[in-house]
Amino acid sequence: MGFLSEGLLYICYAFLMGTLIVQLVPATAKPNLRIPRQAVLWSIVGTMLLAFAPLLQIIMRFGPGIGYGKAISTVLFSFKEGKAYLLVFGLCLLLLLTFLLVKNALQDKKILYPSLLIVLCIIGTFGYVSHVGAIGGIGGAVIQFTHMLAMAVWTGILFSVAWFTAEARHWERFLKWFTPVSIACVVLILVSGLLTMTYTVPEYINSWILPYGQALLMKHLLFVPIIIFGFCNGFLIRSKMELKQGFAVIPWLKAETILILFVFLFTALMSQEAPPHAVAETLQYNDPSAVFMALHPEASVPLQWQFSFPAAALTVLALIVLAGMVYSFVNRRSRPGMTLLIGFVFVITAYGALMLSVQ
């Protein structure tokens, strides 16, 4: 269940980052938000506890052999990851005490700005001890930090607004600043993600034979309907609000956040697998993906592209489904749940097309 704790960790620090940012935005440039103080406190506590999960796995591995007391002290005070966790724990404790002692901390800019700096340091620490940081040095750590920061800013604001808006007023003013911020974050995520892949998965197509590659592919495919939702929620929604008085925008944001949760899930699954720097070598120590082998029992690396009518048909179907996703939004009787379902159908059909295109 390590992937579950990892996924929840992403949600905690993203929500924390997003909440701090939106609280700094003037009231006239955002919807009426009611973010419970308890939600912020739990996100801080969650970050403290969930960040310890990877260390707990190491401790449980070495504990039976050297004793759990020694395993804990060794991991915390000798391992790079342990020292980083102590820093994260200290920073989270400082945040927690601040929000416990200052009742109106969410409204006090003198508290919000230092808190935002602390969260930046926490994310920077995660980037420093990441796998990319370990193999890429400072350059790798900066790339991972950029990736995580852009993700936290974009999705954190989205989570805060989607799930804690009491009244969707000042929406045009909100979109005026959030749309360019989200575009910038998505660009940074894409660029830093591609740079990260040069470290972790240089053989992208071949990696599909492994669980890590399968999770990465699903993450990429999910990103497509997320971009569609972002385009609709950032641009097309303006015309819908003009045509229909009292148009409910929040359910559409919630639908987008559900897709993002699945991205977090597959990202967390990747964290539990060995990054395939060399796929053939990784296969010597790790089992291939059960799903991939079910489709290609005789497969071996390097994988080759092949044309097949089923793959071509699924490709065309995936493109039609994608177009249908946009149409379902502009349709006057559109429902966010239906558009979300169409997004998942695209992911499934596109995945099938790609899996049938290699051998």
Side-chain angles (χ1 to χ4, degrees):
M1 296 296 287
F3 76 93
L4 183 59
S5 62
E6 194 76 13
L8 291 173
L9 175 62
Y10 301 152
I11 296 172
C12 284
Y13 70 74
F15 171 72
L16 190 57
M17 170 64 77
T19 296
L20 294 175
I21 292 174
V22 294
Q23 288 300 112
L24 287 167
V25 175
T28 55
K30 64 183 178 183
N32 181 19
L33 300 175
R34 293 181 183 173
I35 301 176
R37 179 165 159 268
Q38 289 77 9
V40 176
L41 294 175
W42 278 113
S43 67
I44 297 171
V45 172
T47 302
M48 294 173 69
L49 297 178
L50 296 167
F52 185 71
L55 301 182
L56 181 61
Q57 293 178 341
I58 300 174
I59 291 170
M60 296 302 293
R61 189 182 310 149
F62 290 107
I66 64 175
Y68 287 101
K70 186 174 181 180
I72 293 172
S73 62
T74 300
V75 169
L76 287 179
F77 300 107
S78 299
F79 283 32
K80 177 182 177 181
E81 294 82 358
K83 295 176 182 177
Y85 173 74
L86 292 176
L87 176 59
V88 169
F89 182 87
L91 292 172
C92 286
L93 185 60
L94 180 60
L95 268 183
L96 184 62
L97 291 174
T98 300
F99 280 89
L100 281 174
L101 297 175
V102 183
K103 300 298 183 182
N104 65 334
L106 283 174
Q107 288 75 43
D108 191 343
K109 290 187 177 182
K110 294 180 181 179
I111 299 295
L112 292 172
Y113 279 113
S115 298
L116 192 60
L117 179 60
I118 291 174
V119 177
L120 282 172
C121 292
I122 292 172
I123 296 175
T125 305
F126 288 148
Y128 174 67
V129 296
S130 66
H131 186 79
V132 180
I135 62 178
I138 297 298
V142 170
I143 292 171
Q144 185 66 13
F145 168 71
T146 303
H147 193 74
M148 297 174 73
L149 177 61
M151 178 277 296
V153 171
W154 171 43
T155 64
I157 295 173
L158 200 58
F159 278 123
S160 299
V161 173
W163 294 97
F164 295 98
T165 291
E167 183 183 356
R169 61 188 182 187
H170 308 307
W171 202 257
E172 187 66 32
R173 293 181 181 179
F174 167 68
L175 290 180
K176 189 174 182 180
W177 67 265
F178 179 63
T179 299
V181 166
S182 60
I183 291 173
C185 288
V186 168
V187 170
L188 285 174
I189 289 170
L190 292 174
V191 173
S192 59
L194 289 173
L195 291 174
T196 298
M197 287 173 61
T198 63
Y199 288 102
T200 58
V201 57
E203 303 175 36
Y204 179 58
I205 306 300
N206 286 338
S207 73
W208 294 351
I209 200 172
L210 292 162
Y212 184 99
Q214 288 281 301
L216 181 60
L217 175 60
M218 291 299 294
K219 178 180 173 181
H220 289 164
L221 291 176
L222 282 164
F223 214 73
V224 177
I226 288 174
I227 295 299
I228 298 296
F229 259 107
F231 175 75
C232 293
N233 288 334
F235 297 98
L236 299 185
I237 206 165
R238 289 182 169 96
S239 60
K240 295 207 72 169
M241 294 179 71
E242 291 175 359
L243 292 172
K244 186 177 180 181
Q245 190 73 18
F247 175 75
V249 297
I250 299 301
W252 292 94
L253 292 187
K254 288 182 177 179
E256 185 177 352
T257 62
I258 291 173
L259 284 170
I260 291 172
L261 288 176
F262 276 88
V263 170
F264 284 175
L265 172 65
F266 283 105
T267 304
L269 287 171
M270 289 167 55
S271 70
Q272 305 302 304
E273 302 290 339
H277 306 292
V279 174
E281 182 178 338
T282 304
L283 283 169
Q284 296 178 13
Y285 307 99
N286 296 272
D287 295 328
S289 165
V291 175
F292 189 90
M293 296 309 295
L295 295 171
H296 304 283
E298 305 299 325
S300 61
V301 293
L303 298 178
Q304 302 293 331
W305 288 103
Q306 67 169 356
F307 174 82
S308 68
F309 285 105
L314 282 175
T315 300
V316 173
L317 179 59
L319 294 175
I320 294 173
V321 169
L322 203 60
M325 188 177 174
V326 178
Y327 175 77
S328 71
F329 182 86
V330 300
N331 189 290
R332 289 189 177 184
R333 297 181 179 179
S334 58
R335 295 290 184 271
M338 179 57 67
T339 306
L340 177 63
L341 179 61
I342 295 173
F344 283 120
V345 172
F346 163 78
V347 172
I348 295 170
T349 53
Y351 174 81
L354 291 172
M355 287 300 98
L356 296 178
S357 298
V358 294
Q359 63 176 355

